Amino acid sequence: MLRKEINKSRRVAIRRRRLSLVGGFRRNTYRIASSSKKEEEESSNISAAGATMKSLFKSKPRTPAELVRHARDLLVFFDRDAEGTRESKREEKMAELSKLIQDLKLILYGNSETEPVPENCVQLTQEFFREDTFRLLVVCLPKLNLEACKDATRIVANLQRQQVQSRLIASDYLENNEHIIDILIAGYENSDMALHYGSMLRDCIRHQVVARYVLEHEQFKKFFDYIQLPNFEIAADAAATFKELLTRHKSTVAEFLSNNYDWFLAEYNSKLLESSNYITRRLAIKLLGDMLLDRSNAIVMTRYVSSRDNLRILMNLLRESSKSIQTAAFYVFKLFAANPNKPADIVNILVANKSKLLRLLADLSTDKEDEEFNADKAQIMEEIASLEPKDLA
């Protein structure tokens, strides 16, 4: 009996120890789980706090004005001769400047996904002309890489069209900074930069005040040489600028031609119409026709067709082997023949060369059938055939 009681007491003690061990294990497991959860929550809170701090200190996108100012600072760096700076730093700054110029172009032009925002364009334009950024961009152009040069050229083109409060502020800026135009004109003497500077100059000539300045400036005479440069692309670009100057702003061109007739036509005849270069002669005779046939140049045209020297040059151009030169020359020559108030010496020259002129005109034709041209030719031939000598006064 006593032994049974002892065994029973042992079994109860063993059961209690087992229960105690299980409870302890469960409590420890709970504590571990709670601790792990707490650590996860603390880690999550730290991450959230870090993200918040990161967002607080993250740089905001720069405004167009800030981009321009940053570009200006870099342009100043290169304008002040950065040769003394170590090469790695120069390259780093040049890469940064190229990226900024690309960003400025994107604001003005947009891309395939976004259109330009007018407010941003206005802000950029105002800042560009507020200080010296435009001049710095022009001056530093030779120091930029090719893609940055192209982007800069497009930026200059766009800025000429940007209006701020209904005003083209580029026009006002250039009127007060004419030396920039001098830099662009002289750019034709830099073979590497000529096409970029030429493009910029044509965009600036959109403003009548700029066109007038160029026409009246001594440097304008250099275009007679630029047009005949040995580099074909540069010569063609200079010719395009020359044409723009003499055709875009009618009243300014008429005033210029009236005030500068003698020296201008002397240069035009000797250097362009009588040039040994076929392309120069072809461009010159076509442009001359455009100018003289424009109504705003009526007074200049009347004076032109009263000159024996001008008639001699036109008759020689009619004898060219090139049909394009012959045709362009005909449209100027007909102004002499159709003039109802031909001076006596003009009439006598036409009469003296009547048979030659009639044969030449009879053979003259265009590459394609042109009824208007044929009608004009028939009228001029009839006019020449009916001429009689005139007594000189």
Side-chain angles (χ1 to χ4, degrees), residues 119-168:
E119 293 80 3
N120 290 344
C121 293
V122 168
Q123 188 183 143
L124 185 153
T125 303
Q126 286 178 312
E127 188 63 33
F128 223 97
F129 292 114
R130 180 171 285 125
E131 294 189 29
D132 213 21
T133 310
F134 190 91
R135 184 197 68 82
L136 286 167
L137 186 63
V138 170
V139 170
C140 293
L141 199 69
K143 300 177 181 181
L144 303 179
N145 59 47
L146 179 59
E147 287 306 312
C149 274
K150 291 178 180 178
D151 289 341
T153 302
R154 294 193 66 192
I155 287 172
V156 168
N158 191 289
L159 289 173
Q160 307 314 308
R161 301 190 296 270
Q162 290 292 335
Q163 293 191 16
V164 178
Q165 296 179 351
S166 302
R167 286 187 62 82
L168 292 168

Side-chain angles (χ1 to χ4, degrees), residues 21 46 51 95 102 133 142 219 229 259 277 309 328 348 369:
L21 288 172
I46 291 171
Q102 186 180 54
T133 310
Q219 284 203 79
L229 287 170
N259 295 337
N277 188 301
D309 288 338
N348 291 337
E369 187 65 23

Side-chain angles (χ1 to χ4, degrees), residues 124-222:
L124 185 153
T125 303
Q126 286 178 312
E127 188 63 33
F128 223 97
F129 292 114
R130 180 171 285 125
E131 294 189 29
D132 213 21
T133 310
F134 190 91
R135 184 197 68 82
L136 286 167
L137 186 63
V138 170
V139 170
C140 293
L141 199 69
K143 300 177 181 181
L144 303 179
N145 59 47
L146 179 59
E147 287 306 312
C149 274
K150 291 178 180 178
D151 289 341
T153 302
R154 294 193 66 192
I155 287 172
V156 168
N158 191 289
L159 289 173
Q160 307 314 308
R161 301 190 296 270
Q162 290 292 335
Q163 293 191 16
V164 178
Q165 296 179 351
S166 302
R167 286 187 62 82
L168 292 168
I169 63 173
S171 178
D172 297 334
Y173 173 85
L174 292 171
E175 185 176 9
N176 295 318
N177 294 273
E178 293 171 336
H179 62 283
I180 296 175
I181 303 304
D182 298 339
I183 296 172
L184 295 178
I185 296 172
Y188 278 115
E189 296 171 21
N190 182 335
S191 59
D192 293 327
M193 291 292 106
L195 299 183
H196 297 296
Y197 279 135
S199 177
M200 287 182 175
L201 181 58
R202 282 192 298 281
D203 286 314
C204 292
I205 289 170
R206 292 170 59 90
H207 310 299
Q208 191 161 5
V209 64
V210 175
R212 182 182 293 109
Y213 172 77
V214 177
L215 288 171
E216 294 175 352
H217 198 281
E218 190 68 19
Q219 284 203 79
F220 175 65
K221 294 180 180 179
K222 292 185 177 181

